[in-house]
Amino acid sequence: MRKAVIIGAGMTPVGEHWKLALRDLAVEAVLNAMDDAGIDKVDSLYVGNMISGPFVEQENLGSLIADWAGLGNIPAVKIEAACASGGAAVQEGVKAVLSGLEDVVAVVGVEKMTDAWPNDATRYLAYAADAEWELFHGASFVALNALVMRYYMKTYGYTEEDLALFAVNAHTNGAKNPYAMFKRPIKLETVLKSPYIADPLKLFDASPVCDGAAAVIITTPEKAKELGVPKEKWVEVAGMGRAIDTINLANREDLLTLKAAKVAAERAYKMAGVEPKDIDFFEIHDAFTIMAALSLEALGVAKKGEGAKLAREGQIAIDADYPIQTMGGLKARGHPVGATGVYQTVEAVLQLRGEAPNQVPDAEVGLTQNIGGTGSNITVTVLRRV
Amino acid sequence: MSRPMQVSRYWRHFREKYRLIGGKCENGHVHFPKRPICPVCGSREIEEVELSGKGKVLSWTLVRNPPSGFEYYKPYPLALIELEEGPIVLAQLTDVDPEEIDFGMEVEVVTKKIREFEEDGIILYGYKFRPPVK
C-alpha cells in the first residue's frame, strides 16, 4: 500500500480578523503550506469547513479557494463534518493520496465566524446538533455540553475546579504559540470566576468564536523525494479512523462515553500499529473542558471516569506523561470550527519536525482528535516522524 | 436567522411534539422520536407508542446565551429527562425555580409554546416538562 506524508504546513493566526474575508484567510494558509513544501501546484484541494453558508453566505468553497489561490482547473470540494470538518478533510486528502488517484493534495480548513452577531453564531453552531429535537427546544451547543458536564461531575464526583484545570493547561501552552488567539496564561480562579454561560459551564470552560485557516500538503514519500522536499520536513500519516454516534445527545447509549472517538481511535491505532502509551502528545478537541476529559478516556489514555483525574494529577503538561494541547488547544489557540482539525494537524507536524514553540522533547508520534457535534462525528489521526 | 415560512417543516412533527409519540419495535425496544429502524436491534417492524410523559431529571443546565430566536426566554432551564419507558428526552423545564432542579427530580410533560417568530411568523408549540401538578 502507498504511504502518505505531509510535506508542507501553513496557517494564519487565529483571532477576530475584521479586515480579512474567508477567502483571504484560506488563500493565505494554502500558499503558506505550498511555500513550506516548496511547490507551486497541487493535484486537488479539500476544504474543511462547517458553516460558511449561514456565516458568510458562501458555499462552493472548493471553487472559491482553488480559484483565488490560483490552483488552476483542479478538482476541489468542501468537506463538512460539523466541527470535525478539518479532521475529515485531512483524512479525505490522505485517502486520495493512498488510493493512487492523486499524488499531491492540498487540504485547507477555514472558518470565518466573527461576521455574525453572537446569538446568530450560537444558532449556527447549533446546526451541528439535531435541528428538530435539540435546536427546536432552544439548545445551544454550550448547553448540550453543559448537560454532559453536570452529569459527569455528578457521576464521578468531580468539581468545576477539576475541569477548569484543562483550561489552565491550554492557556499555559497557548501563551507560547504566536498563532494562538489567547497568548497569555490564566489562573485557576480566572476560570472559576468567569460567568456561567450554561451552568455549570462557564465562559472559560469554552473555546472562543473566531476566524482562522490552516493548511497541509499531502503526498507520497516517492513523490516527496521527486519534488525535492527535504526529508526533515516529512511527517507520515501513520493511522487514521473516523466514526459517528447518534446526532441527538439524548439518544446516546451512554452519555459519558465518546463512542465515536473510541471506535475511531481503535482504527487509527491499529493502522499505525501503536498503543496509547506510544503517543508522545495529544492534540484533542477541548472545545469545552468536559470534552477534554471525555476524550482522554475515549482515546484509552485514561480509564473511564478518570479523564479529569489526569489534569488534577498534573499529567497533561508539556513535560508530563500525556502532554495535551501543546499549542493551546481549541481553548487558547482558538476554535475556528471547520479549520480546527487542520490546525491540530499543522501543530502536530511542527511538533514532529521539532519546530514547535512549545516543543515536546523527542516527539516521534502524535495524535490529533477532532470532534463534530456533541461527540457525534469524530476523527482520530496518528502522525509519525519519518 | 432562519425564515419563518416553514409551516410544513414544523407541522410534520406535531404528533410527536404534542403527544410524545415514540416508536416500539417488535422486540419491545422503545425509543423517541420514532425512527424507521430500531436503534437497538435493527428491526424495521416499528409501531407507534404514546409515552406517558412521566420521568426524572437526569441532567440540566440554564441557558443564558441562547441561539437567536430564543432571546426573549432567557435564561431558561434545559434538561435531559429519563422517561419511565426508558428513552431520554431533551426539553425545557417550565414552572420551576432553577434553584429547585435536582438530579432525579420527578417531572411530567406539558404542552407549551416553544417559540414565536416575529411579525407574520408561526408560533411553535411542543413538550416541556414541569414538576407534577398534584
Side-chain angles (χ1 to χ4, degrees):
Chain A
M1 186 166 135
R2 296 194 357 152
K3 281 191 172 184
V5 289
I6 295 174
I7 54 166
M11 53 186 164
T12 72
V14 179
E16 296 179 338
H17 291 294
W18 305 108
K19 289 183 178 172
L20 298 175
L22 181 144
R23 72 183 73 188
D24 301 325
L25 293 162
V27 168
E28 186 182 328
V30 169
L31 297 182
N32 283 347
M34 289 174 71
D35 290 348
D36 182 47
I39 59 169
D40 57 10
K41 61 179 190 178
V42 294
D43 296 335
S44 70
L45 173 74
Y46 293 85
V47 183
N49 173 271
M50 174 179 164
I51 19 178
S52 62
F55 266 116
V56 293
E57 301 185 318
Q58 181 71 63
E59 294 293 1
N60 198 6
L61 296 188
S63 295
L64 177 81
I65 296 161
D67 176 10
W68 278 67
L71 301 181
N73 304 109
I74 59 165
V77 288
K78 162 172 164 171
I79 306 290
E80 188 269 317
C83 296
S85 299
V90 170
Q91 294 197 353
E92 287 305 312
V94 172
K95 277 159 71 176
V97 168
L98 292 182
S99 76
L101 281 173
E102 291 162 7
D103 284 334
V104 185
V105 167
V107 176
V108 62
V110 61
E111 204 79 57
K112 175 73 190 160
M113 303 168 75
T114 62
D115 285 358
W117 294 105
N119 285 7
D120 284 339
T122 302
R123 178 166 205 87
Y124 304 153
L125 288 167
Y127 288 176
D130 188 325
E132 286 301 337
W133 308 101
E134 292 183 318
L135 180 55
F136 178 89
H137 295 281
S140 66
F141 231 73
V142 183
L144 294 171
N145 280 275
L147 290 167
V148 178
M149 180 175 168
R150 192 189 294 275
Y151 193 57
Y152 184 79
M153 287 161 54
K154 158 80 173 171
T155 305
Y156 299 115
Y158 289 114
T159 60
E160 292 175 20
E161 191 175 314
D162 290 320
L163 291 164
L165 293 168
F166 284 106
V168 175
N169 174 69
H171 278 263
T172 302
N173 295 344
K176 289 195 181 161
N177 177 7
Y179 293 89
M181 182 163 180
F182 303 123
K183 290 184 274 286
R184 58 177 188 272
I186 54 166
K187 292 185 175 130
L188 185 59
E189 305 88 87
T190 313
V191 186
L192 296 175
K193 282 183 184 163
S194 65
Y196 286 110
I197 41 179
D199 321 32
L201 202 155
K202 295 169 294 303
L203 185 65
F204 271 66
D205 282 305
S207 52
V209 165
C210 52
D211 312 320
V216 290
I217 309 296
I218 305 162
T219 187
T220 60
E222 295 75 21
K223 188 76 185 174
K225 208 182 234 174
E226 194 187 309
L227 291 167
V229 183
K231 216 170 172 183
E232 301 85 66
K233 290 216 154 162
W234 303 6
V235 167
E236 185 194 355
V237 180
M240 56 188 202
R242 188 151 105 215
I244 66 109
D245 201 341
T246 63
I247 186 163
N248 187 335
L249 181 66
N251 295 159
R252 276 307 136 75
E253 194 181 307
D254 174 1
L255 277 176
L256 301 181
T257 297
L258 291 177
K259 187 79 183 288
K262 227 172 157 169
V263 173
E266 277 161 16
R267 289 180 187 155
Y269 289 147
K270 195 177 168 197
M271 184 173 163
V274 297
E275 293 176 32
K277 65 172 172 52
D278 303 321
I279 312 281
D280 298 311
F281 65 94
F282 300 80
E283 297 301 336
I284 60 174
H285 192 98
D286 61 337
F288 303 97
T289 51
I290 177 64
M291 282 298 138
L294 291 181
S295 296
L296 288 172
E297 296 172 19
L299 294 172
V301 178
K303 286 188 191 138
K304 189 164 160 57
E306 295 187 359
K309 223 168 119 184
L310 287 188
R312 198 198 274 162
E313 293 171 352
Q315 295 192 57
I316 57 170
I318 293 282
D319 55 359
D321 285 348
Y322 305 103
I324 66 167
Q325 319 310 69
T326 65
M327 308 268 276
L330 286 61
K331 178 70 192 77
R333 173 237 295 129
H335 180 30
V337 288
T340 290
V342 189
Y343 271 100
Q344 293 176 321
T345 310
V346 169
E347 290 163 355
V349 165
L350 295 180
Q351 283 288 357
L352 294 168
R353 283 186 191 166
E355 295 171 2
N358 227 344
Q359 188 63 44
V360 173
D362 303 320
E364 279 188 23
V365 186
L367 177 147
T368 63
Q369 174 236 22
N370 195 194
I371 304 182
T374 322
S376 64
N377 205 328
I378 301 185
T379 73
V380 175
T381 307
V382 175
L383 300 125
R384 190 188 276 132
R385 193 165 73 192
V386 176
Chain B
M1 207 178 84
S2 48
R3 305 268 298 166
M5 292 303 290
Q6 305 189 60
V7 176
S8 59
R9 178 181 164 202
Y10 294 111
W11 189 244
R12 68 176 74 109
H13 289 299
F14 80 98
R15 294 173 71 252
E16 288 102 320
K17 283 174 179 166
Y18 293 180
R19 286 176 49 210
L20 217 58
I21 291 188
K24 186 178 186 177
C25 79
E26 57 188 331
N27 297 313
H29 303 127
V30 182
H31 56 270
F32 180 87
K34 185 176 173 242
R35 290 170 178 243
I37 296 165
C38 174
V40 178
C41 65
S43 163
R44 295 189 191 191
E45 295 296 321
I46 314 277
E47 63 176 43
E48 289 186 351
V49 53
E50 187 168 342
L51 302 167
S52 69
K54 291 189 196 321
K56 289 178 178 175
V57 171
L58 197 66
S59 189
W60 75 99
T61 183
L62 200 57
V63 183
R64 296 171 190 268
N65 295 58
S68 49
F70 288 88
E71 292 93 340
Y72 177 79
Y73 308 94
K74 76 172 181 179
Y76 49 89
L78 190 76
L80 288 168
I81 294 128
E82 188 165 18
L83 299 175
E84 61 181 12
E85 293 90 348
I88 297 170
V89 177
L90 175 95
Q92 286 185 30
L93 297 179
T94 183
D95 305 313
V96 63
D97 178 348
E99 298 291 314
E100 290 172 13
I101 306 169
D102 203 357
F103 296 103
M105 185 174 85
E106 287 186 20
V107 288
E108 66 180 16
V109 77
V110 57
T111 300
K112 287 270 187 179
K113 184 167 81 180
I114 300 289
R115 183 187 166 195
E116 203 174 311
F117 288 84
E118 304 82 0
E119 298 186 18
D120 305 335
I122 55 174
I123 299 172
L124 303 180
Y125 292 89
Y127 50 80
K128 290 188 184 181
F129 285 78
R130 67 181 176 195
V133 173
K134 286 165 184 138

